[in-house]
Amino acid sequence: MTDYRIGPMPAQIPQALAAKLTRVETATVGHWRHWGFMDRGIQPLLRTKRVAGTAVTLAIPGPDSTLLHHALGLLRPGDILIVDRLGDNRHACWGGGVTVAAKAAGAVAGIVDGPCTDQLEIEQSDFPVWCRGLAPMTTRLYNLGGILNGLISCGGVPVQPGDAVLADESGVLVLPPGEADAVADAALARQERGERNQQRVRAGEKLGDLSGASRMVGEALKGVR
């Protein structure tokens, strides 16, 4: 028996929050936060893109993309479709046709815990996709079932429908929507401090003095003596 488990489309994060997150670098949050980052094997096909939006979650088995095709018809502007491939790393479920459909729906990006195909078509569509590289073998409509808008795992991170997602050239970060605003504010403040320090280094100051690293080394050397 085919088993489909389909939940309602999630509430979307506020547009103002999504806009704020697009000013944040995932690597900035990585200075202090230790969870929510997908495995670094999930990389962007378009490396100049940074996007933020609402997670729509999907889990589909091995060679089948039936539920993916259905989900594309439900996507809204501001959504990011996150695809759990249930361990399959052989079949590409995302290619040129899926990209065209996702972009036409107004989705912000696609993130796949597995390979994609048709990189040239994805580049021509100028649609951001994160995945585990490329593969020539693709999925088909086998009607094997799957999960839409339920708890999934992508890149080793649990993802709930409605989570806030930030993706850029360094990777993908998933945040509970209730934490995303505070994380964004902290990251933007840190980025502003970092820019000021870079200006000071360009003016001749030493990074080790600004960060305190040189003081730590000096104190450690005194202890050795």
Side-chain angles (χ1 to χ4, degrees):
M1 182 180 69
T2 301
D3 186 7
Y4 286 110
R5 303 180 185 184
I6 299 178
M9 294 295 285
Q12 293 183 296
I13 65 173
Q15 188 173 8
L17 174 57
K20 182 189 292 188
L21 283 170
T22 60
R23 296 163 51 206
V24 172
E25 300 173 15
T26 58
T28 301
V29 183
H31 276 79
W32 81 86
R33 194 174 178 95
H34 300 285
W35 55 86
F37 296 93
M38 291 187 186
D39 181 270
R40 65 186 182 90
I42 297 179
Q43 290 289 311
L45 294 182
L46 306 182
R47 294 193 173 274
T48 61
K49 301 293 186 179
R50 181 188 301 161
V51 300
T54 301
V56 173
T57 59
L58 177 69
I60 50 176
D64 182 43
S65 56
T66 308
L67 190 55
L68 169 59
H69 283 213
H70 174 71
L72 292 166
L74 302 175
L75 293 178
R76 309 155 297 184
D79 285 339
I80 296 180
L81 184 57
I82 300 184
V83 187
D84 179 352
R85 295 295 285 114
L86 300 173
D88 183 89
N89 197 38
R90 188 180 186 190
H91 300 87
C93 71
W94 196 294
V98 170
T99 297
V100 168
K103 184 170 184 176
V108 173
I111 300 172
V112 182
D113 197 350
C116 292
T117 195
D118 300 334
Q119 179 163 356
L120 180 58
E121 292 181 46
I122 292 171
E123 291 174 351
Q124 290 172 340
S125 291
D126 194 34
F127 184 80
V129 176
W130 280 255
C131 64
R132 291 189 182 272
L134 301 170
M137 187 175 294
T138 65
T139 55
R140 298 183 68 84
L141 303 184
Y142 291 119
N143 199 28
L144 298 179
I147 298 169
L148 176 61
N149 288 324
L151 175 64
I152 64 166
S153 175
C154 189
V157 174
V159 188
Q160 296 272 15
D163 279 346
V165 181
L166 171 64
D168 63 13
E169 73 278 5
S170 296
V172 181
L173 171 62
V174 179
L175 295 166
E179 300 178 22
D181 197 61
V183 169
D185 286 340
L188 291 172
R190 184 180 287 262
Q191 287 174 194
E192 290 174 3
R193 292 195 302 271
E195 179 57 33
R196 289 196 298 270
N197 284 342
Q198 289 180 23
Q199 292 173 0
R200 292 171 66 180
V201 170
R202 292 188 188 101
E205 295 188 59
K206 304 300 182 183
L207 179 60
D209 293 335
L210 294 176
S211 69
S214 295
R215 175 184 55 78
M216 294 178 185
V217 173
E219 291 176 352
L221 291 174
K222 288 179 182 178
V224 171
R225 295 172 188 167

